[in-house]
Amino acid sequence: MPRTEAECVGALDCTHVKIQSPGGIDAESYRNRKGFFSYNVQAICSSDLKFQDIVCRWPGSAHVSNIFRNSRVRNDFENGVYGDNLLVADSCYAIKPYVITPLLNPHTRAEHLFNEAQIRTRNPIERSFGVLKRQQILSLGIRLKQEKVEAVVMSTVVLHNIALSMGDVEPPEINEEIAAAIELTNNVNNDMVGHVQRGINNSVRYTLINTYFQNLL
């Protein structure tokens, strides 16, 4: 029986996995904005912190929106594979019918309620990265040849999912004040992205705001 309402099927974000300098003429493309060499790893996780999709082939300097734009999962959403279902993401990403991002400048009470719900729904991806990086090879950095990095990351993700399936303890919820600070930082660092997003696919968010969050007041 087909679904009558859209569902959130995952939280989307990227995290940097530290590596040693790969050397060669392209080495600087792996230096991220924090100054160290890394892979910018895209992930989608479920509410129970398990990873559903991983992309580990982009250098640290790659922007998250470009990684998603060129991903298979984005192509699947564009082609209707996931129906009317959607992802939640932070303001680094462009608003799409299938990617719900927070409002950069909420004004009404309903808009603030929407942002609070969006941040809480997105919270598992931050927590899942925290759990994943308890594995020392990710927290300290991968000092292997570049061609082995993807295999190492994928292996740690598999171990992460297995550990959660076996009842490994999850970390606590991220404090809401910290989440708000993260959101503010994202908004400042991605101000130009926000300007581009204004007016594009805003009807997706405002349909949610007007049909659900406004009714909560």
Side-chain angles (χ1 to χ4, degrees):
M1 184 175 181
R3 291 190 178 100
T4 58
E5 295 182 357
E7 295 181 1
C8 177
V9 294
L12 167 70
D13 205 354
C14 285
T15 189
H16 288 279
V17 172
K18 187 176 181 180
I19 61 170
Q20 63 185 355
S21 172
I25 60 174
D26 296 325
E28 283 303 307
S29 68
Y30 287 85
R31 191 184 298 276
N32 61 41
R33 60 185 174 82
K34 296 182 180 179
F36 60 87
F37 295 99
S38 70
Y39 271 77
N40 201 358
V41 179
Q42 176 182 284
I44 296 172
C45 82
S46 57
S47 59
D48 60 1
L49 310 191
K50 292 180 181 177
F51 289 104
Q52 302 164 302
D53 188 83
I54 291 285
V55 177
C56 179
R57 60 174 181 271
W58 290 83
S61 64
H63 194 278
V64 297
S65 61
N66 191 44
I67 297 173
F68 181 65
R69 189 181 306 116
N70 289 279
S71 67
R72 175 192 54 78
V73 70
R74 182 259 185 185
N75 187 62
D76 286 345
F77 271 102
E78 287 282 348
N79 290 324
V81 173
Y82 294 98
D84 293 329
N85 296 325
L86 50 86
L87 302 169
V88 289
D90 66 24
S91 54
C92 294
Y93 294 87
I95 179 72
K96 296 284 185 181
Y98 49 84
V99 179
I100 301 300
T101 62
L103 293 164
L104 294 181
N105 296 296
H107 297 292
T108 68
R109 179 57 182 154
E111 290 176 354
H112 282 284
L113 286 174
F114 164 81
N115 266 15
E116 290 171 13
Q118 202 274 351
I119 291 171
R120 288 195 185 96
T121 306
R122 201 178 73 236
N123 177 276
I125 191 66
E126 302 291 347
R127 296 168 60 210
S128 65
F129 286 148
V131 177
L132 181 67
K133 290 186 177 181
R134 291 188 301 184
Q135 300 182 67
Q136 288 190 351
I137 194 168
L138 297 187
S139 61
L140 300 178
I142 300 175
R143 302 185 62 82
L144 297 170
K145 291 183 179 180
Q146 190 177 355
E147 57 269 22
K148 295 183 178 180
V149 172
E150 182 175 359
V152 169
V153 172
M154 296 303 294
S155 297
T156 59
V157 167
V158 171
L159 290 173
H160 165 96
N161 284 353
I162 291 173
L164 289 181
S165 295
M166 296 181 68
D168 194 14
V169 177
E170 298 178 7
E173 293 280 348
I174 292 179
N175 182 281
E176 289 188 18
E177 291 182 2
I178 296 175
I182 292 170
E183 189 62 32
L184 178 61
T185 302
N186 285 338
N187 290 346
V188 171
N189 290 339
N190 298 283
D191 189 54
M192 290 304 295
V193 176
H195 282 297
V196 172
Q197 287 183 28
R198 289 188 181 95
I200 301 176
N201 287 317
N202 267 332
S203 61
V204 179
R205 287 184 294 207
Y206 279 100
T207 296
L208 287 171
I209 292 168
N210 293 330
T211 60
Y212 180 75
F213 292 98
Q214 188 64 43
N215 293 331
L216 297 179
L217 301 178

